C-alpha cells in the first residue's frame, strides 16, 4: 500500500494479524524514496507495478492490492495489468480519479472504505459502485458497527 501514513500502517497491521505479508511504499521522491515526485498517473502506475513485482519475489502468489486516496486509484489501474491481484482494498478513493472501466473489468472482490464526510469520496457516490461486480462499499461507521471480512478464494 503506498505511503507511510496512518491508513497504510493500519492496513498493514490488519494484514499481519491475519497472517498476510504486506508491502508499504512511498511514491518516487516522497519520504525516503529516490527520484522526483511527479504526481502523474504514469509514474504512479510504474511505482505500483514495481511494488507488486517486488512483493511477488518475496511472497509469490495471489495478492491483495491496496491503496489510500491517490494510491487507491493506482491500485484499480494496477489490477488491469497485474494478474496477481486477486482482491482490492481501496481506502478513500478520489472518485474523479477512479477508473470505473478497470473496476468493472476486475473479476475479484473489492472493498471500498470511506469516512462518512469525505469530500473526495462521498459515501453515496462510493456506494453506487457496489453495483459493479463484487464491489462492496462501507463507511468507517458501518465497519465499526458491523465488521467486514473478505473471504479467501
Amino acid at each position: 500500500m503506498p505511503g507511510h501514513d496512518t491508513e497504510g500502517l493500519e492496513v498493514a497491521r490488519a494484514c499481519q494479524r491475519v497472517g498476510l505479508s504486506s508491502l508499504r511504499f512511498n511514491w518516487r521522491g516522497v519520504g525516503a524514496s529516490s527520484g522526483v515526485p511527479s504526481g502523474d498517473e504514469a509514474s504512479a502506475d510504474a511505482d505500483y507495478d514495481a511494488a507488486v513485482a517486488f512483493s511477488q519475489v518475496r511472497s509469490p502468489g495471489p495478492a491483495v492490492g491496496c491503496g489510500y486516496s491517490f494510491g487507491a486509484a493506482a491500485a484499480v489501474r494496477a489490477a488491469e495489468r497485474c494478474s496477481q491481484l486477486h482482491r482490492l482494498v481501496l481506502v478513500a478513493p478520489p472518485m474523479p480519479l477512479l477508473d470505473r472501466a478497470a473496476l468493472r473489468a476486475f473479476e475479484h472482490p473489492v472493498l471500498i472504505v470511506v469516512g462518512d464526510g469525505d469530500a473526495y469520496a462521498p459515501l453515496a457516490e462510493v456506494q453506487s459502485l457496489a453495483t459493479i461486480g463484487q464491489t462492496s462499499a462501507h463507511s468507517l461507521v458501518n465497519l465499526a458497527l458491523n465488521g467486514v471480512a473478505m473471504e479467501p478464494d
Side-chain angles (χ1 to χ4, degrees):
M1 179 166 186
H4 289 277
D5 48 52
T6 303
E7 294 82 1
L9 181 58
E10 288 306 315
V11 170
R13 285 180 178 158
C15 289
Q16 184 180 28
R17 282 192 296 271
V18 297
L20 299 173
S21 61
S22 65
L23 171 68
R24 292 184 304 139
F25 67 95
N26 276 327
W27 304 112
R28 66 185 72 200
V30 176
S33 294
S34 62
V36 177
S38 69
D40 68 75
E41 287 183 5
S43 293
D45 291 350
D47 290 350
Y48 207 102
D49 292 353
V52 170
F54 178 81
S55 70
Q56 287 296 302
V57 170
R58 309 290 305 270
S59 183
V64 177
C66 300
Y68 166 68
S69 188
F70 183 74
V76 170
R77 293 189 309 271
E80 278 191 305
R81 298 181 308 278
C82 302
S83 62
Q84 306 91 336
L85 298 180
H86 285 229
R87 302 274 188 285
L88 291 176
V89 176
L90 312 176
V91 180
M95 297 306 286
L97 300 179
L98 206 59
D99 184 337
R100 285 166 178 75
L103 193 58
R104 265 186 218 91
F106 190 67
E107 297 178 351
H108 305 287
V110 178
L111 172 64
I112 304 175
V113 181
V114 298
D116 289 341
D118 190 323
Y120 297 103
L123 182 58
E125 190 175 349
V126 170
Q127 287 175 325
S128 73
L129 297 175
T131 62
I132 297 175
Q134 298 182 55
T135 301
S136 61
H138 300 275
S139 72
L140 293 176
V141 171
N142 287 339
L143 284 174
L145 294 176
N146 301 319
V148 170
M150 295 179 72
E151 298 298 322
D153 280 336

